[in-house]
Amino acid sequence: MGIRESAYEKGLYIAEKIVPLIENAREYRGQKKALFDVYDIILRGYNHRGAMEKTKKYIETCEIYKGAVGIEDYIAHTLRTMVFYFNSLDFESALEAGLELDKAVKELKKAYKACYETSTLISQSIIVHGNDAQNFQFTLAGKLWSSIGQAYGFLKKYSSAQRYFIKALKEFDINSDDYNITMSHYLQLLISSGKKEIYEEKSYIYS
């Protein structure tokens, strides 16, 4: 077992031991968020194992407590949920999960940008180059939009996929892993959709 696998198994073991302690405790402030967090850890462990039914069970359980967590935590959870659906070849459900947050992410970016223009940054997912509020990137939004682009691509809805990949790329630093991963998905989409000229142009720039 590799280091990564060992970490997932250890996290899963600990989380499953913690669950009954939280569930059976006298009701307290933050209990629902604690349950969401520990269930989210468990679904990650089972998803890593490839235990599809158990992963789906904990995705559904997390939905019960989603109102107890912040929007960024829920976006990160949704990204993990989309990975599960991709692995299950359930691209419609992956797309549905992503689009459910699409509007909220757009509004969140606007709010963060307004906060930056008037005061200070309030999220580690924000990148601002220099002091230019116009050059404002929200990496978590980029990750969601990249995943939505992948879902559209798998469903052969190429125009929508292209639109979301382009949006996603604008949210990443050009030297980041997120940018490179999304660009590779975008280039593959261009090949699949027969857009040879755009592919050649983009692949030249990317190389």
Side-chain angles (χ1 to χ4, degrees):
M1 183 181 293
I3 295 175
R4 185 180 178 87
E5 287 76 12
S6 177
Y8 273 107
E9 290 298 322
K10 185 181 292 185
L12 179 57
Y13 174 80
I14 294 171
E16 289 186 318
K17 292 294 184 183
I18 291 173
V19 164
L21 300 178
I22 302 174
E23 289 179 334
N24 297 325
R26 181 178 299 176
E27 188 172 337
Y28 63 91
R29 184 178 181 181
Q31 184 179 33
K32 291 181 179 179
K33 182 182 184 305
L35 284 169
F36 179 95
D37 290 341
V38 75
Y39 291 143
D40 188 53
I41 292 170
I42 292 171
L43 82 82
R44 276 184 261 180
Y46 280 127
N47 195 28
H48 188 74
R49 275 189 189 178
M52 297 302 188
E53 288 302 317
K54 287 187 176 181
T55 304
K56 188 173 182 179
K57 171 190 171 183
Y58 282 100
I59 288 173
E60 292 169 352
T61 305
C62 282
E63 285 298 298
I64 298 171
Y65 300 101
K66 68 180 182 180
V69 299
I71 183 63
E72 286 204 14
D73 287 338
Y74 189 66
I75 294 168
H77 164 78
T78 297
L79 290 170
R80 290 188 282 273
T81 298
M82 292 178 76
V83 169
F84 164 76
Y85 287 131
F86 287 144
N87 292 340
S88 304
L89 305 182
D90 186 355
F91 307 127
E92 290 283 0
S93 293
L95 180 60
E96 182 181 347
L99 290 178
E100 183 181 338
L101 283 173
D102 188 22
K103 184 177 179 180
V105 167
K106 292 175 187 174
E107 294 302 315
L108 187 61
K109 183 180 178 182
K110 287 181 185 178
Y112 280 173
K113 186 174 181 180
C115 287
Y116 175 76
E117 289 171 342
T118 58
S119 56
T120 58
L121 290 183
I122 56 174
S123 171
Q124 293 182 345
S125 296
I126 298 300
I127 301 174
V128 180
H129 298 278
N131 295 313
D132 184 6
Q134 297 304 313
N135 199 357
F136 182 96
Q137 295 172 310
F138 184 18
T139 57
L140 202 53
K143 290 178 180 180
L144 181 72
W145 292 335
S146 180
S147 293
I148 292 174
Q150 289 178 64
Y152 272 127
F154 283 127
L155 293 168
K156 296 183 169 34
K157 297 180 179 181
Y158 296 130
S159 295
S160 296
Q162 183 174 355
R163 185 172 73 253
Y164 274 93
F165 281 140
I166 290 171
K167 283 175 56 175
L169 287 166
K170 292 177 182 178
E171 301 300 325
F172 301 134
D173 185 282
I174 196 169
N175 296 313
S176 68
D177 289 340
D178 289 320
Y179 184 92
N180 291 332
I181 291 168
T182 299
M183 179 59 82
S184 68
H185 290 314
Y186 181 35
L187 292 176
Q188 183 59 52
L189 175 79
L190 294 173
I191 294 172
S192 300
S193 59
K195 297 183 178 180
K196 183 178 178 182
E197 291 183 2
I198 302 177
Y199 168 78
E200 290 177 347
E201 175 190 345
K202 297 294 182 183
S203 61
Y204 174 76
I205 296 171
Y206 183 55
S207 60

